[in-house]
Every structure is written in structure tokens, then in C-alpha cells.
Amino acid sequence: MQIQFVTVGKLKEKYFVQGISEYTKRLQPYVKVKIIEVSDEKAPEQLSEAEAKQVKEKEGKRILTQIKPDHYVFALAINGQLWSSEQLAENIEKLTTYGRSQLTFVIGGSLGLSDEVLNRADQKLSFGKMTYPHQLMRLILVEQVYRAFKINRGEPYHK
């Protein structure tokens, strides 16, 4: 089984890189992990709606080149479904039981995801109504996927 995380932009903050590296290392006994960073689109602070859509579309095209047709795609979206850690674990378990061995989690850039990426997603997942920096969301997501594997194996994990 392989899980890939496709994200927009390069992480620069050492503390995020270290945290993600730690959880990626912890995941390796359970699953192959691949993290793909696609470049973000340079944009001014103030954008019109049309300009923002254009930025998301350009980033979306880069994201979609990293997703194969047989991948089951989870897109992080504020209007996605709210799941508990146990529900995420259960859904990952179901997918693997029924032969879905390529899972991709997608995190957009600071403006979110394009309609094309959201339409490609098999599941839209939300971590709540609050907005998080996409760099922080990477760390939270990798930790939650690790937690899901611990839950599915019945192994202890701190609360």
C-alpha cells in the first residue's frame, strides 16, 4: 500500500519539516509514504475573484499531474465531511480491504483547491470550519494518518 500527500508550496519552516519527517518515519513500518510538493503560483496579496480562480487552476493542474487514475483521492476542503480520527481509520481500512492500495491526500495552497481537483476527489475531508495555514495542515494530516494506522492495528497511541 502507498499513501501520497500532494501539497502546494515548499515547506521552509524547520519545525514543520521536522514534525512531518517524524510522522513520516513512524508511518514507514505500515505503508509506503510519498510527499510531493508542487510549486505554488506567485500572486499579489490582493486578488480579484477571477485572479484567485486562475491561481487555483494553475496550482490544480500541477496537482492533477501527480494523481493517477487508480488513486483514491482525499481533498482537504473546508466544506468537506467532518470525521473523527476513528472514522478516518475505518475508511482507510475499508479502502484497503476492498483493494484500494493507492491513497492520495491533497492539500491546496493558501487560496484552496481548484474546482478540477475537487471534482477529481473521491472524498472531500474537512478538519473543521476554522482556517489553518496549509503548512500546519500538512503536519496535522500526516499525524492523523499515522494515528489511523495505530487505531486500525489496535496499538496504543498517546491521546
Side-chain angles (χ1 to χ4, degrees):
M1 173 179 204
Q2 180 176 344
I3 291 183
Q4 72 176 14
F5 299 91
V6 180
T7 64
V8 174
K10 184 150 184 66
L11 275 183
K12 297 172 190 86
E13 298 86 351
K14 186 177 178 182
Y15 49 92
F16 286 135
V17 172
Q18 289 172 331
I20 291 167
S21 177
E22 176 62 29
Y23 285 109
T24 300
K25 184 177 78 178
R26 290 182 188 190
L27 266 169
Q28 288 173 349
Y30 306 111
V31 65
K32 282 184 173 180
V33 178
K34 187 175 183 182
I35 297 179
I36 299 168
E37 294 178 329
V38 301
S39 61
D40 55 344
E41 193 64 25
K42 302 300 177 224
E45 285 292 318
Q46 298 297 320
L47 294 173
S48 69
E49 203 171 304
E51 290 170 322
K53 183 177 181 186
Q54 215 172 25
V55 167
K56 290 192 292 187
E57 285 173 356
K58 287 179 181 178
E59 291 173 347
K61 286 184 190 338
R62 293 181 194 127
I63 291 167
L64 291 171
T65 63
Q66 303 300 322
I67 300 171
K68 295 188 173 116
D70 64 333
H71 288 196
Y72 188 93
V73 178
F74 293 90
L76 271 62
I78 202 149
N79 61 349
Q81 285 193 304
L82 292 167
W83 284 350
S84 66
S85 297
E86 292 79 11
Q87 286 172 304
L88 176 62
E90 181 183 324
N91 280 282
I92 289 174
E93 184 71 20
K94 280 181 190 174
L95 288 167
T96 58
T97 298
Y98 293 104
R100 300 305 293 261
S101 62
Q102 302 287 327
L103 306 182
T104 296
F105 289 86
V106 179
I107 301 174
S110 57
L111 299 175
L113 292 167
S114 69
D115 289 340
E116 292 83 1
V117 173
L118 292 170
N119 290 334
R120 169 58 182 90
D122 297 289
Q123 179 67 53
K124 293 175 195 74
L125 192 57
S126 175
F127 279 70
K129 300 246 182 245
M130 293 179 148
T131 302
Y132 299 100
H134 57 280
Q135 302 94 328
L136 176 60
M137 202 61 239
R138 291 188 204 188
L139 177 59
I140 294 169
L141 178 60
V142 174
E143 186 280 334
Q144 283 297 303
V145 171
Y146 169 68
R147 184 181 295 269
F149 277 88
K150 296 293 273 184
I151 290 168
N152 286 340
R153 295 221 180 341
E155 297 173 359
Y157 185 54
H158 66 276
K159 298 197 182 224

